[in-house]
Every structure is written in C-alpha cells, then in structure tokens.
Amino acid sequence: TRNGIEFAVADLSLAAAGRTQIRLAEHEMPGLMATRREFADAQPLRGARIAGSLHMTVQTAVLIETLVALGAEVRWVSCNIFSTQDEAAAAVVVGPHGTVDAPTGTPVFAWKGETLAEYWWCTDQLFDFGDGLGPNMIVDDGGDATLLVHKGVEFEAAGRVPQPTSADSEEFALVLGTLADSLAKDNRRFTKLAAGIRGVTEETTNGVKRLYKLAESGELLFPAINVNDSVTKSKFDNTYGIRHSLLDGINRATDVMLAGKLAVVCGYGDVGKGAAEALRGMGARVVVTEIDPICALQAAMHGLPVVRLEDVVATADLFITTTGNKDIIMAADLAAMKHNAIVGNVGHFDNEIDMAGLAKVPGIVKNEIKPQVHEWTFPDGHAIIVLSEGRLLNLGNATGHPSFVMSNSFTNQTIAQIELFTKPDAYERQVYRLPKHLDEKVAALHLEALGVRLTELTKEQAEYIGVDVAGPYKPEHYRY
Ligand code: NAI
C-alpha cells in the first residue's frame, strides 16, 4: 500500500515509461476515447466496483482509465502469467496525475512472469474493495475470475473444499488451495460476493464457452455479456489482431526467417485465419488442420492444404495452435518433430500443447535461451523450441494485439459494463450479446481515423432492402 492504494507490480518506477506508451495508445484507440467523451457528464459507472482479470497491457491501461473516467472504482489483475507489461501496470497504479511516491491510480496486482501460485493469489486480490465491500461487476478474459467465484460458492454450499487428487492439474490444485484458505477465514465469503455481483462481461472465446456451459446447467450466478461474439470483437481482434501479434511474438522470440518454411496452423477459426494469413504473408508455406468441415473447406478455398498433424509433424518448421481445444500437439508429436522446429500456442489456455508430457520424457533437457523461449533437447540429441511454455505467445513473447484493434474490443467491453451495471433488472442469469446497433456503433467510431467515407443509404434504398436508414444494416443471422 502506498498513499492508500494497494498494488503488487514489478517496479513502480517504470510508470513514466508506461505513461508515454499509454498516451500514444490513446491516440490509436478512438472508440474508447469517444466513449469517454460521450459519457463524461453522465458518469454511468458511478458506484460500479469493477474487478478486472484481463492481460495487463498498455491497451488495457486505456480501458481501465476509461472505466475510471466513467465513474467506476476498479481493481485489476492479468489473466495470464506472462502477459503483463510491467510499465503499463506501474503507470495504472501511479495514475495519470499521481507520482511514484504518491500514486493516485488504480490497484493492480500483476507482473510479467508470475508463478501459478502468485497468479491465483493476485486473482484473489480482486475481490476486496475495502470496508467489507466486494466488486459488483467483473471484466473477465478466459473466465478465471468468474471461475473462482463459482467454485467458491460451490464449495461453501458443500461446506468443504475437496482435496486435490492426482488427476487434477497443478493449476487446479492451486485454485483449490486458494479457496481452502478463503473458506477457512470466512465460509460465506464467495456466497456473499456473488450475491452482490450484477454481471460479468467476457472477452474471449474460451471464457464464453465456460459461461454458456454454466448457463445451460443452471449454475450461472449472475448475468453475462459475451463481448467476444460482437462482430467488432471476434472478427477483428481474433483475426486481424493475431495477424499482427503472432508474427511479433515469433520474431521477438526467434527472429527466424519464415519465408519458404513449412508452417502448420492448427485450427482455422477466427484466430487461425489471421495466423495463416500472416504466415503466408511472410512467404511461409502454410498448411492447416481442422475438425470442422466448414472451416476445412474455407481453408481449402483460400488455397491452403488441409492435412492431419501426423502428415507434417516430421517435416514442418513451425507449429501454431489456435483451437481453444486441448491435446492438439502431444509429447509424442513433439518428439517426432525435426531439429529446432518451433512450437507455439495462441489459443487461450496452455493445454493445447502437452507441456506436462514433454517435461516427463525420460532424459529430456530444458535450456532457457531467454525468458519465454526454451530449447528442449531429446535424448537422441535433437531439440525443439517452445515459446512461452505453451501459453499465449503473442502476449508472452510480444505485447499482444495493437491498440487500434483493441479499441474495438474494449469499446464493446465498456458498453457492456454500462449496460449490465445500469440495467440490473433487464437481464436474467443468462449469456447475452450486445445488440447489433451497438456493434455497428463501435465500428463507426473507428472509421474516421482510417479515412473511411461511408456511403449513406437513401430512404428508397433502405425501404427496398428492408432496413432503417440509421441501421442496423444486417439481420441477426448475417455472418459477415
Ligand atoms: P474458433 O472457434 O473460431 O476457432 C477454433 C477452431 O479450432 C475451430 O474452427 C475448431 O473447429 C478448430 N478445432 C477444434 N479442435 C480442433 C482440433 N482438435 N484440431 C484442429 N482444429 C480444431 O475460436 P477463435 O475465436 O479462433 O479462438 C481460438 C482460441 O484463441 C480461443 O482459445 C480464444 O480464447 C483464443 N484467442 C486468443 C487470442 C490471442 O490474443 N492469442 C485472441 C482471441 C482469441
């Protein structure tokens, strides 16, 4: 605590460096800045206590300061152990008007290179706003903050936290440990917290999947807005964001020449499409794996061979997983790769690549080339290079997506927070998407910066195609 502000960041003196980056990012985030201007007087988030778990980057700093500018009190953690930009975390704590000695910003608990135990400790810090108050809103990316609340309520109802078994991952065992500590102190803590939460707005595909599962089984404890499936999120951030930040991550990690190399992209959804396009743009020979015939056909129509991993495992130079699924590249696949093949993941969780299995290969040796870049040498002498220990490499090895695309995502986040916070009675314990007119509004806020001149419909044309002159311009089922 300094000047009454709690925080746990790498180095507060990095704040000045973070602030210059935030200032430049603000210029590249026209949607967020327009939202600040639009709601400056109304202060729709006054009274909101927002717990945010989302990569603590420069772009996220602009989101946090937008939520604060609209009246919210905020606490923040990163949703990944490697994704924090330490200078951004420091700048958010110090705040735009504070100093290192007298910070006046927002509590942040995040640093680059947390252990998993530290990660869950940080996540737990989200829920105490002082004076016995918890958050009344959550911003989540991947659903870990929401998971902690739901598991907490489940175990409080049962009166006990189960002992981790050998089948549990190391990470889940840590979640259970965090909850056991909490339960020992207050056996109604999460039950009380959950009752005060008006809703969660979720950023990514994997977190959204968790929410729909909870809603289907009737276990969802508060309303949720699926930000990911705003068109101006998943069709932009997931695709064009990764098209930028995947290469950034590979280059910073390895600086390997991609032209002419054989690259495998596992999954051809929104993220896979961006990944494949970026690698092809660098002159790599790109092949795709898919389980969905529609996405496989799309890849084929884009001229990309669709193969099975086994067809290329021994010949490819680079492997990128983008599926949001588990067990995509197993230890036996890693062993079958050629010398110095590069392996990385940009799907949300680290179980796409069997890192646990790799570590258990008898005689394997792990050598750190630099942080988040590891050479794993098999007993036969050949090695592979794994980026960010199998976690999101575009955030672990680089700084994630650029500001402009994140402005689209985070304008959706801000609108969704305002929506759930100001209309608590309008939503059930279900998962909702933002209405299309707001999706179109987010896009509209980003046109001027790119010099776009939109054509205006005439009244006659609008009637002819059956829409309003002011939009929405597409039916709900349109796919873009
Ligand atoms: P998506 O559902 O559009 O695409 C995933 C694709 O993987 C689907 O087409 C699916 O059929 C395919 N797939 C599933 N199992 C497979 C298997 N065994 N082999 C081959 N393909 C398989 O999802 P989206 O939006 O592309 O997201 C993918 C992941 O990326 C999610 O975990 C999401 O949370 C994450 N994400 C990461 C970002 C980053 O900055 N690194 C940004 C946005 C999303």
Side-chain angles (χ1 to χ4, degrees):
T1 304
R2 192 177 293 180
N3 199 30
I5 297 186
E6 288 180 89
F7 62 90
V9 302
D11 180 359
L12 217 52
S13 71
L14 296 171
R19 184 53 53 187
T20 44
Q21 291 189 52
I22 291 170
R23 190 166 50 74
L24 294 184
E26 285 172 350
H27 180 67
E28 280 285 297
M29 303 186 87
L32 274 185
M33 299 314 275
T35 309
R36 280 192 202 180
R37 287 191 296 276
E38 181 181 347
F39 294 105
D41 295 333
Q43 294 285 296
L45 293 177
R46 180 173 295 145
R49 294 184 303 278
I50 301 175
S53 166
L54 195 157
H55 310 290
M56 185 54 257
T57 62
V58 167
Q59 292 70 34
T60 302
V62 183
L63 168 63
I64 293 170
E65 291 181 353
T66 301
L67 298 171
V68 171
L70 303 194
E73 199 186 328
V74 178
R75 288 171 85 83
W76 214 267
V77 301
S78 208
C79 62
N80 181 290
I81 59 175
F82 294 134
S83 65
T84 297
Q85 282 171 261
D86 289 324
E87 65 277 23
V92 170
V93 173
V94 167
H97 310 298
T99 62
V100 172
D101 293 325
T104 55
T106 295
V108 174
F109 306 86
W111 57 95
K112 191 175 182 77
E114 296 160 8
T115 64
L116 281 173
E118 289 165 343
Y119 174 83
W120 285 104
W121 175 85
C122 288
T123 305
D124 197 41
Q125 303 311 306
L126 279 179
F127 299 103
D128 183 6
F129 278 71
D131 300 328
L133 288 173
N136 49 24
M137 294 295 298
I138 297 178
V139 171
D140 225 347
D141 183 342
D144 279 351
T146 305
L147 172 97
L148 200 61
V149 175
H150 279 75
K151 285 288 166 207
V153 170
E154 184 186 325
F155 297 144
E156 284 168 12
R160 57 179 278 277
V161 175
Q163 284 295 315
T165 66
S166 56
D168 287 327
S169 66
E170 181 202 353
E171 177 151 14
F172 194 63
L174 289 163
V175 176
L176 296 181
T178 305
L179 288 170
D181 290 348
S182 164
L183 202 62
K185 278 187 229 134
D186 176 359
N187 63 7
R188 303 277 299 154
R189 177 178 174 227
F190 282 105
T191 310
K192 287 182 277 185
L193 277 175
I197 294 174
R198 295 191 189 179
V200 55
T201 58
E202 169 56 53
E203 175 80 3
T204 199
T205 316
N206 266 67
V208 162
K209 276 188 207 155
R210 281 178 167 181
L211 288 172
Y212 281 109
K213 253 193 192 171
L214 286 171
E216 271 160 32
S217 62
E219 292 167 82
L220 187 62
L221 295 169
F222 31 75
I225 290 185
N226 162 1
V227 168
N228 182 68
D229 287 294
S230 287
V231 179
T232 48
K233 199 287 183 181
S234 52
K235 297 291 169 189
F236 290 81
D237 165 328
N238 302 25
T239 304
Y240 307 125
I242 216 71
R243 187 175 70 178
H244 176 108
S245 63
L246 171 67
L247 294 180
D248 193 8
I250 296 170
N251 288 340
R252 293 199 209 192
T254 68
D255 205 20
V256 74
M257 176 97 173
L258 291 167
K261 299 273 167 58
L262 181 58
V264 188
V265 175
C266 299
Y268 200 67
D270 290 325
V271 171
K273 287 179 175 74
E277 191 186 345
L279 294 166
R280 187 149 78 161
M282 295 304 292
R285 291 170 292 134
V286 179
V287 300
V288 164
T289 72
E290 253 298 342
I291 48 114
D292 178 339
I294 296 177
C295 297
L297 187 59
Q298 284 181 311
M301 293 281 171
H302 284 145
L304 300 170
V306 182
V307 300
R308 289 192 175 177
L309 187 62
E310 68 221 42
D311 304 333
V312 286
V313 73
T315 48
D317 302 281
L318 174 71
F319 298 82
I320 302 296
T321 54
T322 76
T323 69
N325 201 347
K326 63 174 186 172
D327 300 343
I328 303 304
I329 299 181
M330 301 307 290
D333 303 316
L334 295 166
M337 290 176 184
K338 71 186 207 190
H339 184 55
N340 283 2
I342 297 168
V343 187
N345 168 46
V346 289
H348 193 79
F349 291 114
D350 65 336
N351 52 359
E352 303 214 12
I353 300 169
D354 179 18
M355 294 303 295
L358 180 65
K360 282 187 203 135
V361 171
I364 191 118
V365 176
K366 178 185 176 188
N367 175 32
E368 181 158 294
I369 305 290
K370 58 184 175 183
Q372 285 88 53
V373 182
H374 293 95
E375 174 186 50
W376 291 78
T377 306
F378 291 88
D380 69 359
H382 94 285
I384 59 167
I385 294 163
V386 180
L387 308 185
S388 286
E389 317 235 359
R391 295 168 194 273
L392 296 170
L393 81 91
N394 61 317
L395 283 134
N397 298 93
T399 52
H401 298 350
S403 302
F404 195 80
V405 89
M406 293 316 293
S407 179
N408 287 269
S409 307
F410 289 166
T411 305
N412 279 292
Q413 275 288 1
T414 307
I415 293 172
Q417 282 286 314
I418 295 172
E419 190 67 18
L420 280 185
F421 181 69
T422 56
K423 298 178 193 154
D425 299 327
Y427 294 95
E428 313 272 322
R429 294 174 181 188
Q430 294 296 332
V431 188
Y432 298 87
R433 278 184 295 133
L434 285 176
K436 194 167 284 295
H437 73 94
L438 291 179
D439 219 344
E440 290 178 355
K441 176 180 168 182
V442 172
L445 291 175
H446 293 87
L447 296 181
E448 192 188 315
L450 300 178
V452 172
R453 282 190 74 218
L454 205 57
T455 299
E456 279 175 34
L457 273 179
T458 65
K459 200 163 168 297
E460 293 71 29
Q461 284 177 318
E463 270 166 26
Y464 185 68
I465 60 171
V467 301
D468 198 287
V469 171
Y473 300 103
K474 297 287 194 296
E476 220 30 70
H477 57 257
Y478 186 79
R479 291 195 179 87
Y480 298 87

